[in-house]
């Protein structure tokens, strides 16, 4: 009998530079090591059934990511059992937060998500006043023309909010932002950083929340 | 290069600032499943294990996997891994003065005690120089002192160590599992009582299988051939015999599981070492003798353990000739049961061309299967097959092909070589003829779904093989043969891959080079040669200039017929196979004399007398050389 589980987890440093495609494989092997039998698709080359919500871009950390997995055990598994087996199995870069069972026919994860929240920490010291004024200016711009993979687009409508973060380490500054995360309309935090006029690579980006998903 | 950062935490900080600027940053961070991180401060012997190419190629390397596990099991030693950065990352590292570092703790390479480099093939040589330079370590052995790591190299290419001799402190000839412990013990004892690097190198001379090139000096005849390899100390052995294990230890079952895609994502289990078929072109077949098998039970328990530790979905059962594993049917039966139960893909490469192989693969299919079936006939005429000692009748090849198509595979890959000794254009055209026949069988059985891919590589004569005396085809000859083959295949619908003749030349120079070639390698590297094994990076002109600068003629190494009494630069390195046997095999090839499976009849290659003590110490059915009394033949 096929069961579907929704797993909330943190993606931490060891998997930071792993793409969502590769992360898929990491999950497959993780579940296999945990003794959780994956359900396979039918067809000539059966594939294990896993679905990541809105794949996390390479280089980001994720504080609360979501994946759905389909399992096919001989006897029914409880969400507690799945969680316990995962937590007892080492997997660098994945910390399990919660596991819940959901209906096998529930809608796909990605379709349920509308926006994502991020923390962006600058790796280099910068002036807080300067940062504040650039943020205000950016938010007041009606249209922010950017180009990504050769395609021009307007970043401004993808930004829901930006606020400034300070840290206990003196001089360390960051931004909290909520950006659209819909099919075909996804804001990227490093684009915001670049639009602010800072080095988009000298940042640590943490996706803290996906909004809109049930549970 | 000049190093400006030496602290691991500063390297980490630099990485975070720069990794998103390069392709595939996951290559440079470590942290994978089954990585072993030991306490840097309290472990006395620190070893870095290097594969001199990028991460994706290096991680699956079995030799380093074995050594990593072996060394990290010692309480007094740690092993970390290092691979070469791709050109984008290298440029950033050079710019920032960032040294190459161990992936586990990010310590710079020059803070390790020992750097072990694997050299499975020759086209990695310039990368070794680049690796040392990126670590801020002097390239030449005689420029290094006590403050630098000891540089060790091993692997199949080091059966001719001479071209790399000036750069390496010590070579390990043969299998490394035992000798690594002797090296680490020697290092530990030396460190306790001396600081002189010379003392260390002298101490290492006592370990069988270790070759320290600085204690040997080559002398040449006016014609450029070797006159004599002079020993500079009595303590240096006149001949270095390769090390082998009397019994294969359990295979590694906790390999690194990379988080990014690499060339082989699978559990690799060697089912045996060595080969008894005696194909005359085959370097591995000569230098890995004798055959020693692992038991079915050992293999199965290793697979179970490794599956538990990795979660991999593919298992490769490795050997030079799987069909010759004595319990192959039994092994396949047992493994196939697991494959079906656990959705595993099992690969069993190097099967012989016979219908039995198809039946074996059929059992291994499980729920998932590769769509293509690979066979390596190597030559297409009976005459050529007798020359190389790989006798497969065309009829048998066609019968096997029929079985493959009938059992559900739609694609066959055939590997051939051109440039075999005495090869004529007719022998080359026969490749196309045989290939057309194979495809015709497929078309007849399954129609247009049937497809055929040809991999046609160019033969390079290797040291320690019966063909070591022979010239290699010139680029013009190779091109003519490739063109003839293409013409003969026109309109057949057969796809074909081949090797660039210039890349073949590089392999040919380096394979049978002497110590003077080190200057050419060095020149090529200073001219910017690196990643020579990558088609887009190999730069023939740089190598030509490098030869000119060193005043050496590349043709001397490649296109020269060597006389039977020539002293070779690798004669003092012994794989246990006698030069007289190789010569006899060379002469046999000229007369088309076949030497079949030597498990049935011993042809006195020299292995039996060389390792008779070892065999006595580790007796058992895992040895596959016949039990025969050893006479004075050695």
């Amino acid at each position: 009998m096929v069961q579907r589980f929704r797993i909330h987890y943190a993606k931490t440093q060891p998997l930071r530079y792993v793409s969502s495609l590769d992360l898929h494989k990491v999950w497959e092997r993780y579940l296999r090591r945990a003794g959780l039998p994956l359900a396979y698709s039918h067809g000539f080359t059966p594939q294990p059934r896993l679905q990541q919500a809105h794949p996390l871009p390479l280089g980001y950390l994720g504080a609360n990511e979501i994946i759905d997995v389909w399992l096919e055990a001989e006897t029914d598994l409880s969400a507690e059992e799945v969680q316990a087996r995962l937590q007892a199995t080492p997997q660098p870069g994945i910390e399990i937060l919660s596991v819940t069972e959901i209906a096998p026919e529930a809608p796909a994860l990605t379709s349920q998500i509308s926006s994502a929240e991020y923390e962006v920490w600058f790796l280099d010291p910068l002036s807080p006043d300067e940062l504040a004024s650039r943020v205000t200016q950016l938010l007041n711009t009606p249209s922010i023309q950017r180009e990504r993979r050769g395609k021009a687009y307007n970043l401004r409508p993808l930004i829901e909010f930006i606020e400034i973060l300070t840290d206990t380490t003196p001089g360390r500054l960051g931004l909290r932002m909520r950006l659209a995360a819909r099919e075909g309309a996804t804001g990227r935090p490093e684009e915001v950083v670049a639009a602010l006029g800072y080095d988009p690579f000298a940042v640590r980006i943490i996706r803290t929340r996906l909004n809109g998903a049930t549970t | 290069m000049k190093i400006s950062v030496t602290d691991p935490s500063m390297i980490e900080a630099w990485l975070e600032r720069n990794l998103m600027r390069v392709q595939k940053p996951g290559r440079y961070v470590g942290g994978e499943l089954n990585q072993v991180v030991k306490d840097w401060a309290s472990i006395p012997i620190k070893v870095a294990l290097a594969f001199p190419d990028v991460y994706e190629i290096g991680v699956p390397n079995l030799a380093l996997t074995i050594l990593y596990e072996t060394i990290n099991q010692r309480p007094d030693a740690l092993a970390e891994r290092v691979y070469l950065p791709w050109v984008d990352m290298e440029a950033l590292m050079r710019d920032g003065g960032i040294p190459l570092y161990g992936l586990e703790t990010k310590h710079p390479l020059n803070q390790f005690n020992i750097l072990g480099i694997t050299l499975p093939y020759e086209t990695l040589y310039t990368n070794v120089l680049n690796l040392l330079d990126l670590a801020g370590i002097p390239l030449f052995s005689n420029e290094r002192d006590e403050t630098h790591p000891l540089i060790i190299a091993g692997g199949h290419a080091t059966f001719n160590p001479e071209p790399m001799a000036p750069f390496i402190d010590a070579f390990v000839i043969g299998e490394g599992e035992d000798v690594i412990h002797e090296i680490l013990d020697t290092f530990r004892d030396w460190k306790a009582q001396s600081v002189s690097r010379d003392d260390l190198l002298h101490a290492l001379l006592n370990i069988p299988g270790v070759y320290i090139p600085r204690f040997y000096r080559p002398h040449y005849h006016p014609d450029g051939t070797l006159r004599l390899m002079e020993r500079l100390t009595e303590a240096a052995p006149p001949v270095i015999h390769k090390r082998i294990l009397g019994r294969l230890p359990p295979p590694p079952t906790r390999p690194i599981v990379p988080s990014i895609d690499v060339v082989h994502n699978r559990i690799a289990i060697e089912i045996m070492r060595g080969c008894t078929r005696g194909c005359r072109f085959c370097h591995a077949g000569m230098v890995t003798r004798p055959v020693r098998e692992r038991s079915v039970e050992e293999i199965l328990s290793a697979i179970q353990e490794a599956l538990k530790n990795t979660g991999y979905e593919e298992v490769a059962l490795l050997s030079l000739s799987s069909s010759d594993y004595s319990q192959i049917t039994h092994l396949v039966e047992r493994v196939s049961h697991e494959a079906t139960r656990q959705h595993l893909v099992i690969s069993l490469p190097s099967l012989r061309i016979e219908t039995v192989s198809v039946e074996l693969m059929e059992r291994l299919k499980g729920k998932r299967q590769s769509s293509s079936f690979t066979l390596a006939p190597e030559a297409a005429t009976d005459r050529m097959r007798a020359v190389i000692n790989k006798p497969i009748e065309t009829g048998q090849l066609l019968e096997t092909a029929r079985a493959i198509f009938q059992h559900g595979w739609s694609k066959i890959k055939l590997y051939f070589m051109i440039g075999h000794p005495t090869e004529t254009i007719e022998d080359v055209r026969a490749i196309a003829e045989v290939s057309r026949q194979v495809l015709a069988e497929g078309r007849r059985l399954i129609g247009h779904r049937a497809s055929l891919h040809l991999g046609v590589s160019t033969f390079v004569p290797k040291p320690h093989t019966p063909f070591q005396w022979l010239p290699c085809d010139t680029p013009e000859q190779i091109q003519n043969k490739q063109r003839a083959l293409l013409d003969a295949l026109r309109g057949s619908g057969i796809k074909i891959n081949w090797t660039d003749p210039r890349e073949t030349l590089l392999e040919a120079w380096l394979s049978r080079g002497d110590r003077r070639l080190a200057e050419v390698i060095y020149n090529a590297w200073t001219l910017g040669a690196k990643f020579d094994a990558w088609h887009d990076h190999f730069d023939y002109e740089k190598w030509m200039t490098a030869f000119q600068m060193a005043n050496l003629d590349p043709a001397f190494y490649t296109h020269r017929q060597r006389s039977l009494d020539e002293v070779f630069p690798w004669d003092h390195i012994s794989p246990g196979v006698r030069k007289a046997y190789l010569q006899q095999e060379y002469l046999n090839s000229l007369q088309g004399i076949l030497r079949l499976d030597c498990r049935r009849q011993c042809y006195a290659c020299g292995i039996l007398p060389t390792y008779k003590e070892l065999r006595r110490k580790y007796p058992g059915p895992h040895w596959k050389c016949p039990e025969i009394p050893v006479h004075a033949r050695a």
Side-chain angles (χ1 to χ4, degrees):
Chain A
M1 154 107 170
V2 175
Q3 290 177 279
R4 179 178 175 186
F5 294 91
R6 180 155 295 172
I7 303 170
H8 285 249
Y9 67 99
K11 183 185 177 195
T12 63
Q13 190 66 30
L15 290 178
R16 178 166 171 187
Y17 299 102
V18 171
S19 69
S20 57
L21 199 69
D22 289 333
L23 186 65
H24 206 80
K25 278 276 171 209
V26 169
W27 265 106
E28 254 185 75
R29 294 171 185 152
Y30 181 24
L31 290 158
R32 213 175 273 129
R33 288 198 309 281
L36 295 167
L38 285 151
Y40 277 71
S41 65
H42 300 288
F44 187 66
T45 48
Q47 294 297 319
R49 294 185 65 195
L50 296 168
Q51 198 179 78
Q52 298 176 65
H54 228 90
L56 189 66
L58 192 82
Y60 292 23
L61 296 162
N64 193 351
E65 295 298 303
I66 312 171
I67 189 169
D68 282 0
V69 305
W70 282 257
L71 302 179
E72 191 167 17
E74 280 166 26
T75 52
D76 265 12
L77 290 159
S78 69
E80 291 72 31
E81 172 78 17
V82 173
Q83 179 157 356
R85 286 206 210 167
L86 286 171
Q87 283 171 335
T89 307
Q91 173 55 59
I94 293 178
E95 283 168 29
I96 303 296
L97 304 173
S98 71
V99 178
T100 46
E101 186 172 0
I102 61 166
E105 66 278 8
L109 262 172
T110 301
S111 69
Q112 294 169 275
I113 286 159
S114 57
S115 68
E117 289 176 28
Y118 304 88
E119 279 180 16
V120 178
W121 293 97
F122 293 97
L123 300 175
D124 297 311
L126 41 100
S127 145
D129 297 341
E130 175 68 22
L131 178 62
S133 88
R134 289 195 196 183
V135 168
T136 311
Q137 207 185 343
L138 188 80
L139 291 176
N140 288 333
T141 315
S143 165
I144 309 166
Q145 282 306 312
R146 304 268 326 153
E147 207 184 284
R148 200 172 153 71
R149 291 184 183 145
K151 259 177 75 180
Y153 74 102
N154 180 4
L155 173 65
R156 183 62 192 87
L158 303 178
I159 304 174
E160 298 190 4
F161 75 77
I162 304 178
E163 62 189 37
I164 291 172
L165 291 172
T166 52
D167 189 62
T168 42
T169 316
R172 216 169 85 100
L173 288 171
L175 300 170
R176 184 194 308 284
M177 57 184 83
R178 187 161 76 211
L179 306 176
R182 292 182 306 273
E183 201 77 0
T186 297
R188 291 178 65 106
E190 72 267 39
E191 289 276 295
V192 175
V193 172
L196 288 168
Y198 297 110
D199 181 351
F201 298 122
V203 286
R204 179 180 304 166
I205 301 170
I206 307 153
R207 184 157 80 181
T208 51
R209 204 181 138 83
L210 288 164
N211 294 314
T214 48
T215 68
Chain B
M1 95 175 218
K2 180 135 173 39
I3 305 296
S4 45
V5 175
T6 58
D7 182 66
S9 65
M10 287 173 70
I11 292 176
E12 299 252 21
W14 182 87
L15 285 172
E16 189 171 25
R17 270 179 180 71
N18 288 280
L19 280 179
M20 289 309 291
R21 301 174 210 273
V22 299
Q23 294 172 38
K24 302 191 186 168
R27 292 164 166 166
Y28 307 112
V29 290
E32 312 90 327
L33 181 73
N34 296 336
Q35 162 182 281
V36 179
V37 183
K38 288 183 143 186
D39 179 41
W40 183 268
S42 66
I43 305 279
I45 311 173
K46 302 166 177 75
V47 184
L49 296 173
F51 190 98
D53 207 307
V54 293
Y55 179 90
E56 296 95 304
I57 296 175
V59 169
N61 179 264
L62 193 54
L64 291 189
T65 302
I66 292 169
L67 290 173
Y68 185 77
E69 205 167 287
T70 308
I71 296 170
N72 278 322
Q73 276 164 1
R74 284 173 68 116
D76 63 348
L78 64 79
E80 300 197 10
R81 296 162 299 137
V82 63
Y83 309 99
L84 265 190
W86 189 239
V87 289
D88 56 348
M89 182 68 166
E90 179 185 335
L92 286 182
M93 290 174 79
R94 285 188 182 277
D95 237 29
I98 305 296
L100 261 190
Y101 51 86
L103 285 181
E104 279 73 5
T105 66
K106 313 291 183 294
H107 279 85
L109 225 45
N110 58 9
Q111 292 178 22
F112 286 79
N113 304 114
I114 297 173
L115 169 58
I117 303 171
T118 188
L119 292 172
Y121 44 92
E122 297 84 0
T123 42
L124 295 172
Y125 290 169
T126 53
N127 281 8
V128 172
L129 273 56
N130 213 32
L131 181 113
L132 293 172
D133 186 56
L134 283 165
I137 297 169
L139 300 190
F140 291 94
S141 175
N142 61 15
E143 291 172 359
R144 298 194 283 262
D145 59 32
E146 296 72 45
T147 65
H148 299 112
L150 177 75
I151 313 292
I152 304 177
H156 280 191
T158 64
F159 278 91
N160 175 18
E162 289 307 288
M164 288 297 283
F167 311 111
I168 304 294
D169 299 322
F171 287 93
V172 173
I173 309 301
E175 298 171 3
E177 288 97 331
D178 283 346
V179 70
I180 187 67
H181 288 300
E182 293 159 36
I183 291 172
L184 297 191
D185 290 346
T186 302
F187 183 86
R188 183 194 55 208
D189 297 347
W190 164 78
K191 211 173 155 199
Q193 32 174 284
S194 167
V195 291
S196 144
R197 188 155 180 112
D198 225 43
D199 285 353
L200 173 60
L201 294 175
H202 273 97
L204 290 169
L205 275 180
N206 297 319
I207 304 176
V210 171
Y211 170 55
I212 301 175
R214 74 164 62 177
F215 297 125
Y216 299 77
R217 181 188 297 146
H219 297 273
Y220 300 92
H221 289 296
D223 67 1
T225 58
L226 191 69
R227 183 166 65 81
L228 156 81
M229 190 59 86
E230 181 195 4
R231 286 185 295 147
L232 302 179
T233 160
E234 275 299 304
V239 174
I240 296 91
H241 291 281
K242 81 166 176 206
R243 290 290 292 269
I244 63 165
L245 304 174
R247 177 187 292 283
L248 300 185
T253 52
R254 199 173 273 284
I256 300 278
V257 181
S259 312
I260 64 171
D261 200 21
V262 298
V263 290
H264 296 299
N265 292 286
R266 63 190 192 188
I267 294 163
I269 307 276
E270 274 179 291
I271 60 175
M272 63 177 180
R273 270 185 209 167
C275 181
T276 55
R277 291 287 160 177
C279 300
R280 296 182 177 117
F281 56 84
C282 182
H283 185 247
M286 295 294 156
V287 303
T288 64
R289 294 173 177 215
V291 165
R292 288 140 297 150
E293 293 188 351
R294 283 193 168 110
S295 72
V296 171
E297 291 310 320
E298 254 183 307
I299 294 164
L300 288 170
S301 87
I303 292 173
Q304 280 316 322
E305 186 65 22
L307 285 173
K308 213 168 71 199
N309 291 335
T310 63
Y312 270 133
E313 52 287 327
E314 184 176 341
V315 179
L317 302 172
L318 302 180
S319 71
L320 291 172
S321 177
S322 303
S323 305
D324 291 329
Y325 178 71
S326 59
Q327 306 293 315
I328 190 67
T329 313
H330 181 45
L331 176 68
V332 162
E333 221 153 78
R334 300 279 304 271
V335 172
S336 67
H337 177 71
E338 288 307 309
T340 314
R341 206 170 60 82
Q342 304 193 46
H343 285 276
L344 297 175
V345 174
I346 309 287
S347 59
L348 186 65
S350 311
L351 283 169
R352 275 158 42 79
I353 301 174
E354 53 194 17
T355 50
V356 177
S357 302
V358 186
E359 287 155 24
L360 290 174
M361 287 304 290
E362 171 73 16
R363 294 220 192 122
L364 285 176
K365 270 202 286 200
K367 294 188 186 168
R368 303 207 273 176
Q369 106 175 63
S370 151
S371 63
S372 73
F373 199 113
T374 303
L375 299 170
E378 309 292 2
T381 58
D382 289 340
R383 186 188 73 82
M384 205 75 274
R385 290 162 182 162
V387 167
I388 64 173
N389 199 38
K390 191 167 182 180
I392 295 128
E393 284 171 23
T394 299
Q396 196 177 329
L397 172 63
L398 294 177
E399 189 188 334
T400 310
R402 275 196 294 276
I404 292 169
F405 289 121
Q406 277 164 344
H407 281 83
W409 283 273
S410 58
K411 188 204 278 182
I412 292 184
K413 288 186 191 162
L414 291 181
Y415 288 121
F416 285 99
M417 261 195 276
I418 54 169
H420 289 304
T422 75
E423 184 183 56
T424 66
I425 212 79
E426 277 67 44
D427 293 309
V428 176
R429 289 206 185 98
I431 295 175
E433 181 47 37
V434 167
S435 302
R436 281 173 181 273
Q437 289 173 26
V438 166
L439 185 60
E441 293 293 342
R443 293 259 157 94
R444 195 169 57 76
L445 290 164
I446 61 166
H448 276 264
R449 280 196 304 121
S451 71
L452 179 61
H453 282 210
L454 290 189
V456 180
S457 59
T458 305
F459 168 64
V460 171
K462 294 279 171 157
H464 304 293
T465 66
F467 292 152
Q468 62 180 349
W469 287 273
L470 285 162
C472 176
D473 272 358
T474 63
E476 293 71 35
Q477 288 171 305
I478 300 170
Q479 268 156 5
N480 286 339
K481 289 176 179 179
Q482 290 177 338
R483 219 169 288 138
L485 187 53
L486 260 193
D487 283 343
L489 282 171
R490 190 149 296 150
S492 66
I494 297 168
K495 286 200 183 128
I496 173 167
N497 284 338
W498 63 73
T499 327
D500 181 335
R502 292 178 156 194
E503 289 168 35
T504 300
L505 277 187
L506 174 69
E507 192 190 331
W509 298 322
L510 298 175
S511 295
R512 291 185 296 168
D514 52 33
R515 202 176 285 197
R516 295 173 303 176
L517 215 55
E519 193 185 337
V520 178
I521 296 168
Y522 177 79
N523 293 342
W525 174 76
T526 56
L527 293 165
K530 61 185 171 194
F531 291 117
D532 292 308
W534 291 70
H535 180 71
D536 293 345
H537 269 264
F538 172 62
D539 187 339
Y540 179 79
E541 296 309 325
K542 284 185 177 134
W543 281 93
M544 285 292 107
T545 313
F547 269 104
Q548 276 166 15
M549 287 162 71
N551 233 332
L552 288 170
D553 176 12
F556 173 83
Y557 297 98
T558 44
H559 307 313
R560 183 169 61 86
Q561 169 72 48
R562 286 137 165 96
S563 77
L564 284 177
D565 58 359
E566 182 168 332
V567 177
F568 290 139
W570 54 89
D571 279 351
H572 60 305
I573 307 294
S574 169
V577 173
R578 296 173 308 130
K579 195 174 181 180
Y581 163 81
L582 296 175
Q583 183 179 323
Q584 185 56 50
E585 273 296 277
Y586 166 41
L587 299 174
N588 285 344
S589 82
L590 296 180
Q591 296 175 53
I593 297 174
L594 288 171
R595 290 297 198 197
L596 301 179
D597 191 346
C598 69
R599 278 175 305 184
R600 292 190 197 134
Q601 185 194 340
C602 178
Y603 302 112
C605 72
I607 285 288
L608 274 173
T610 308
Y611 298 103
K612 61 174 191 273
E613 296 299 326
L614 193 70
R615 186 168 181 178
R616 221 168 272 155
K617 207 170 148 196
Y618 297 92
H622 60 284
W623 293 85
K624 294 300 169 194
C625 287
E627 295 267 7
I628 55 162
V630 175
H631 310 287
R633 253 191 114 162

